[in-house]
Amino acid sequence: MGERYNPQHIEPKWQRRWEESGIYRMEEEPSRPKHYALTMLPYPSGNLHIGHWYAMAPSDTRARYMRMRGYSVFFPMGFDAFGLPAENAAIKRGVDPRQWTYDNIVHMRKQLQSIGMMIDWSKEVITADPEYYRWNQWFFLQFYKRGLAYKQFAPVDWCPSCNTTLAREQVVGAERRCERCDTPVIKRELEQWFFRITSYAEELLDFSGLEWPERIITMQRNWIGRSEGAQVIFHSEQGDQIEIFTTRPDTLWGATFMVLAPEHPLVDKLTSEEQRTIVEAYKFQAARQSEIDRLSTEKEKTGVFIGAYAINPVNNQRIPIWIADYVLMGYGTGAIMAVPAHDERDFEFARKYDLPIRRVIAPTPQEADAPLEQAYIGDGVIVNSGPISGLDTDSGWDRVIEWLEEQGIGKRAVNYRLRDWLISRQRYWGTPIPIIYCPQCGTIPVPEDQLPVLLPQNVDFRPTGESPLKFNEEFRLTTCPQCGGPGERDTDTMDTFVDSSWYQYRYLSPHYDKGPFDPEIGKNWLPVDQYTGGAEHAVMHLLYTRFWTKVMRDLGLVWFDEPMLRLFNQGIILGEDNEKMSKSRGNVVDPDDLASRYGADAVRTFLMFIGPWEQGGPWNSRGIEGVVRFLDRAWRVVTEEPSGGEGGDQQALRRAVHRTIKRVGEDLETFGFNTAIAALMELVNEMMRVRETGLGHTPVWQEARETLTLLLAPFAPHLAEELWERLGGAYSVHQQPWPQYDEALIQEQEIEIPVQINGKVRARITVPATAGEEEIKRLALGHERVRDSLDGKQLVKTVVVPGKLINIVIR
């Protein structure tokens, strides 16, 4: 027995060596193609959980493989450091959110290093650093100049007791109460900043050139929600314009009432005095609900008549105006025409409140006035619709829009479900918005040479959760940069999704002070070649970063349209009970304890062996023992001196080695980590089996040991480094080329072919892989069971499917 495998000794040794040698520093090597690999940066919560390892270790393995493939690889890491948890910690624990965040970063950085990742730590980005968020503010100013940043009123969740806005996480329970004081939460209109992402809606629907999962593309397309139809202007009886968008302009003559969102600005103006009390009560109840609740298809539809009427422009009919909570200001125009005969939701509403139902689409003209038991949503002929009656719905749709345009009462339009990005947060721990309000000059952007606008330190957090920026006069009170008079800073901070929308660019040159990133370095590395992370970010982060890159392109900062060319989404690692890990369930797995016990390489390898990476799977405390045994066997087969002389089947071992090279490489190309590791396990088992047959002292054995070590390197980087050194290899194994397989050696020497007689398998024959039809026929007809079946029968024909089967027809 040789020296035992000891990961607790090996892993710190090689981590120190990697850091001292700078082996993972960014290097621009013109002779090698570049590969920018990136995984989503973590929030510094204080501790890496097993989910972090599950996301990062496979990403690191893939990056290491690409480096051995001959690419110059850049694989950076940082921390998404702003956000609500730090602010909550400040309020609950009486600590400085900056200190809490940066202490967590120190700890998590050490944990990330313990995984053995090939991170270039000299390029680390912390989004709470002023030298980072200065460029958030710079981007805001560029957006503002281009009309992409604007301010308008929008609803927020508001606690009337704490007198503050609440984040989504602070509204708890079905009753939507404040987590601090249990007061019912309401909606309140606040003037807030938006980014005009809708200006890029059409372009964001174009995914050409991207290798992204189809489900992510589908989710983004659905979120953007492009629809074609008509924009039509109704009027109140008092003459107020009420704009609607409809995808069914062919049903305009069937509109028998209108519905406004309770928040619509015309509601207060148009509501009659007789209805005001009931309308105000309904508005309050609607303000208590979340958008998800209001849009639920299972929720019973409710509404209130406001005591006013509108005029349908196509037939000048007077129709009542209602408010209902299923209509929202943020979707479309906040007003809809209701056509109960041809919309299931409107039909349900009309039946409930005894409103008219007028059919304007019928399967046939004869059914124009047939009563409806439910909404008719099919195609047919347009009826009861004045000048367009008689048209079929297929051809009539375009003609209706032409007629609306001819009459000057409507026009063709495209609508998007996508809403502009609300970036204002009434929080402290975020990027200050670089705007000053002057009584004389109005809204004034902070000059670029005065950036960054720094967050004040040592602020007082109120138990209510109100942002201390509102009460910090040193921060809030300032001088107008335009007239020199007194001014006040905006006290909102930016949504933390701003931080993660462009961080991949800052990694290239985190200390560059002439722009968001050094353009010369950008030319060599951009865009990101491979991005990995969770699918839960499909319609927030992943959509925002695409939008941000398109704006950067229009600003002349980049020359491409998309930030990440290829995307892979990993699954979720579950607890041993097959449930999502949580402290309350008691199923959380601590990776630090596991790494201390088994070594980081074992934890990495087991996480990749659990199952397909994109599917995730449950943790299995017994399963890791099998991976530990595998790594121990790999150690022994490489380091222990075999017995016996020269002999054994050298060609069979070489074939096994070269087939493994092919399998592992192909699997790593497609993120098939589990099957790649299975192939390595098979090779180790084969080597253990044959090493005592006399192969242990042959050049073939030495080739097998070296190849196994190289193939292990991306998965178990510390173990492979130690094995490579013991084999006499030059430092480092991670700078060696990926092994190449010999095509001739991976070909099967013999294959098994089923022999069918009249369609039923009667025998199986083993033939040379190169055997032709005549040889296969000869071997099949000579098989004992086939000869018995042919006895006394007439051979009609023999059909050979090369490499697959032979079918013999007899009678």
Side-chain angles (χ1 to χ4, degrees):
M1 293 288 291
E3 182 182 344
R4 290 177 60 87
Y5 170 45
N6 184 351
Q8 288 74 20
H9 169 72
I10 289 171
E11 291 176 358
K13 164 188 170 182
W14 288 109
Q15 288 167 15
R16 286 192 299 271
R17 180 77 182 275
W18 294 335
E19 183 177 357
E20 290 166 0
S21 65
I23 186 176
Y24 300 131
R25 292 285 181 95
M26 174 198 281
E27 291 184 8
E28 295 173 15
E29 303 173 72
S31 62
R32 308 177 80 185
K34 69 95 176 177
H35 182 77
Y36 187 173
L38 187 64
T39 193
M40 294 179 185
L41 78 176
Y43 179 78
S45 57
N47 204 33
L48 283 186
H49 53 72
I50 201 70
H52 287 115
W53 278 64
Y54 190 67
M56 293 177 183
S59 300
D60 176 71
T61 293
R62 182 59 159 51
R64 289 181 177 280
Y65 163 72
M66 295 301 291
R67 181 174 184 168
M68 295 178 75
R69 279 269 320 278
Y71 288 84
S72 181
V73 176
F74 180 44
F75 187 55
M77 182 56 64
F79 296 93
D80 195 6
F82 275 140
L84 187 61
E87 193 151 338
N88 283 343
I91 296 168
K92 294 176 182 177
R93 302 182 179 94
V95 299
D96 178 8
R98 179 179 284 96
Q99 188 64 47
W100 184 85
T101 299
Y102 281 78
D103 286 349
N104 288 347
I105 287 172
V106 170
H107 180 63
M108 290 180 72
R109 188 186 295 121
K110 290 179 180 176
Q111 289 183 301
L112 283 166
Q113 290 166 344
S114 75
I115 299 176
M117 297 176 70
M118 55 170 286
I119 294 168
D120 181 353
W121 286 105
S122 71
K123 302 297 186 182
E124 179 188 75
V125 158
I126 300 174
T127 61
D129 283 349
E131 70 172 347
Y132 185 87
Y133 71 71
R134 166 193 179 185
W135 298 105
N136 283 350
Q137 295 170 343
W138 182 86
F139 275 119
F140 180 95
L141 297 179
Q142 311 316 307
F143 281 40
Y144 185 77
K145 291 175 189 175
R146 298 178 73 88
L148 295 174
Y150 66 94
K151 200 171 190 184
Q152 73 173 24
F153 282 94
V156 295
D157 285 322
W158 179 267
C159 175
S161 175
C162 295
N163 195 36
T164 186
T165 56
L166 300 178
R168 187 177 304 164
E169 305 93 313
Q170 296 171 302
V171 180
V172 296
E175 296 298 315
R176 289 179 44 78
R177 293 178 176 272
C178 173
E179 70 168 356
R180 291 194 188 94
C181 67
D182 204 39
T183 300
V185 172
I186 62 171
K187 290 287 185 182
R188 179 176 172 180
E189 294 279 320
L190 282 186
E191 198 173 15
Q192 301 184 82
W193 286 98
F194 290 80
F195 284 156
R196 208 180 298 274
I197 190 173
T198 52
S199 295
Y200 288 80
E202 192 66 33
E203 191 176 351
L204 287 166
L205 288 167
D206 182 3
F207 295 88
S208 55
L210 291 183
E211 292 184 55
W212 281 32
E214 192 57 42
R215 64 171 176 160
I216 300 296
I217 292 174
T218 299
M219 289 169 73
Q220 290 201 2
R221 282 186 175 140
N222 291 342
W223 188 260
I224 294 166
R226 185 183 193 277
S227 55
E228 296 184 10
Q231 176 187 313
V232 185
I233 305 296
F234 285 63
H235 287 85
S236 72
E237 286 189 307
Q238 292 88 339
D240 306 281
Q241 285 194 359
I242 308 175
E243 179 185 329
I244 64 109
F245 171 83
T246 177
T247 59
R248 293 295 307 274
D250 51 335
T251 66
L252 268 160
W253 281 261
T256 59
F257 61 100
M258 292 197 76
V259 183
L260 303 182
E263 304 84 6
H264 196 289
L266 283 176
V267 172
D268 287 343
K269 179 182 179 184
L270 296 178
T271 298
S272 68
E273 288 307 313
E274 294 79 9
Q275 293 294 103
R276 191 164 299 280
T277 299
I278 190 171
V279 167
E280 289 300 321
Y282 189 85
K283 285 171 60 179
F284 179 81
Q285 288 303 315
R288 290 274 295 112
Q289 301 175 62
S290 71
E291 289 189 4
I292 293 174
D293 290 336
R294 287 174 61 173
L295 293 172
S296 172
T297 56
E298 298 177 0
K299 179 179 176 293
E300 182 182 1
K301 303 298 180 284
T302 63
V304 171
F305 174 50
I306 69 170
Y309 292 84
I311 304 300
N312 187 334
V314 301
N315 56 17
N316 292 317
Q317 288 195 350
R318 184 174 183 252
I319 59 175
I321 302 175
W322 288 61
I323 58 171
D325 56 12
Y326 67 82
V327 179
L328 296 125
M329 277 305 299
Y331 289 81
T333 64
I336 65 167
M337 67 169 193
V339 184
H342 307 293
D343 181 277
E344 292 171 339
R345 180 183 59 185
D346 295 344
F347 186 88
E348 177 187 339
F349 194 91
R351 277 287 182 89
K352 180 174 182 177
Y353 294 106
D354 197 25
L355 295 165
I357 299 173
R358 182 181 302 120
R359 182 197 279 273
V360 290
I361 305 289
T364 65
Q366 291 73 29
E367 298 173 82
D369 299 309
L372 287 165
E373 293 301 318
Q374 60 185 15
Y376 178 71
I377 58 175
D379 293 330
V381 62
I382 299 173
V383 297
N384 302 321
S385 298
I388 63 166
S389 293
L391 296 174
D392 65 85
T393 49
D394 283 341
S395 58
W397 193 90
D398 282 318
R399 179 66 192 110
V400 171
I401 296 179
E402 292 172 5
W403 183 87
L404 290 171
E405 291 175 337
E406 290 167 3
Q407 301 300 311
I409 56 177
K411 63 181 181 180
R412 188 181 301 273
V414 174
N415 192 53
Y416 300 93
R417 181 178 179 271
L418 178 70
R419 292 175 287 172
D420 280 337
W421 176 8
L422 192 162
I423 67 155
S424 286
R425 297 293 181 270
Q426 292 74 43
R427 298 274 160 251
Y428 164 74
W429 191 235
T431 300
I433 291 177
I435 290 292
I436 294 170
Y437 302 103
C438 172
Q440 302 299 321
C441 308
T443 301
I444 304 298
V446 173
E448 291 180 20
D449 61 5
Q450 293 182 22
L451 300 180
V453 176
L454 294 170
L455 279 174
Q457 298 192 33
N458 303 316
V459 296
D460 294 324
F461 284 92
R462 302 195 172 199
T464 62
E466 291 173 277
S467 171
L469 295 181
K470 292 166 54 178
F471 309 103
N472 188 298
E473 292 193 353
E474 184 180 351
F475 171 81
R476 184 170 53 84
L477 301 181
T478 187
T479 301
C480 172
Q482 190 161 300
C483 71
E488 291 195 14
R489 295 193 187 280
D490 196 306
T491 57
D492 282 356
T493 53
M494 297 186 202
D495 179 11
T496 54
F497 277 114
V498 168
D499 305 334
S500 58
S501 290
W502 68 279
Y503 74 108
Q504 65 270 23
Y505 301 105
R506 191 64 180 171
Y507 275 143
L508 301 173
S509 46
H511 307 297
Y512 187 68
D513 65 357
K514 296 181 178 60
F517 66 95
D518 187 332
E520 291 303 313
I521 298 177
K523 289 177 185 176
N524 296 322
W525 288 100
L526 294 173
V528 173
D529 295 286
Q530 180 65 63
Y531 199 35
T532 56
E536 67 272 17
H537 298 290
V539 294
M540 301 292 278
H541 162 59
L542 288 171
L543 188 64
Y544 291 155
T545 193
R546 293 183 64 221
F547 159 62
W548 206 279
T549 291
K550 293 175 192 305
V551 177
M552 289 178 69
R553 177 204 61 201
D554 292 345
L555 290 170
L557 295 172
V558 299
W559 60 95
F560 45 85
D561 300 325
E562 297 288 351
M564 296 98 178
L565 300 180
R566 193 178 186 197
L567 172 68
F568 193 95
N569 299 125
Q570 80 273 359
I572 298 173
I573 185 75
L574 302 173
E576 201 148 9
D577 55 2
N578 220 35
E579 299 286 343
K580 188 174 181 179
M581 287 189 187
S582 71
K583 290 181 181 178
S584 62
R585 289 195 179 99
N587 62 355
V588 173
V589 174
D590 186 341
D592 290 354
D593 289 347
L594 290 167
S596 175
R597 181 177 177 186
Y598 298 113
D601 281 347
V603 180
R604 286 172 58 114
T605 305
F606 176 61
L607 286 169
M608 287 181 271
F609 187 58
I610 283 176
W613 195 37
E614 66 273 21
Q615 293 180 16
W619 178 264
N620 183 336
S621 57
R622 295 180 300 278
I624 194 171
E625 298 283 356
V627 168
V628 170
R629 289 193 295 271
F630 156 62
L631 295 180
D632 185 65
R633 287 162 65 85
W635 168 269
R636 286 162 48 205
V637 84
V638 173
T639 62
E640 290 180 2
E641 193 68 22
S643 60
E646 295 188 8
D649 191 341
Q650 296 187 42
Q651 195 68 357
L653 178 59
R654 291 200 73 213
R655 284 198 297 270
V657 168
H658 283 255
R659 287 175 192 154
T660 306
I661 295 171
K662 182 176 188 292
R663 286 177 61 188
V664 173
E666 289 176 349
D667 288 341
L668 281 175
E669 289 291 333
T670 59
F671 297 86
F673 302 107
N674 60 320
T675 50
I677 293 168
L680 289 170
M681 289 177 170
E682 292 175 17
L683 177 60
V684 168
N685 290 341
E686 179 66 10
M687 290 176 67
M688 292 289 285
R689 186 183 68 81
V690 303
R691 69 173 182 165
E692 305 303 330
T693 65
L695 283 173
H697 297 281
T698 65
V700 171
W701 181 255
Q702 181 65 14
E703 178 195 5
R705 293 198 302 170
E706 290 179 358
T707 301
L708 172 62
T709 301
L710 292 169
L711 297 180
L712 275 171
F715 304 92
H718 312 86
L719 170 62
E721 196 77 270
E722 182 72 16
L723 292 177
W724 189 251
E725 182 181 64
R726 290 173 181 248
L727 288 171
Y731 178 76
S732 154
V733 69
H734 302 295
Q735 294 175 312
Q736 306 306 312
W738 188 253
Q740 300 297 307
Y741 62 84
D742 185 334
E743 191 71 42
L745 287 171
I746 66 171
Q747 301 299 323
E748 296 286 346
Q749 303 302 301
E750 292 182 330
I751 56 175
E752 185 179 75
I753 293 180
V755 181
Q756 295 180 346
I757 298 178
N758 290 347
K760 293 185 177 181
V761 176
R762 298 298 186 189
R764 296 181 183 275
I765 59 173
T766 300
V767 303
T770 57
E773 285 192 24
E774 292 305 316
E775 185 174 3
I776 292 172
K777 287 180 184 179
R778 179 180 61 79
L779 291 169
L781 295 172
H783 193 281
E784 182 179 0
R785 294 188 64 186
V786 175
R787 288 201 309 270
D788 291 345
S789 298
L790 290 175
D791 189 26
K793 300 290 183 7
Q794 180 183 352
L795 177 62
V796 178
K797 64 178 178 180
T798 304
V799 179
V800 176
V801 181
K804 298 291 185 182
L805 59 84
I806 177 172
N807 188 31
I808 299 169
V809 180
I810 62 174
R811 64 182 176 200

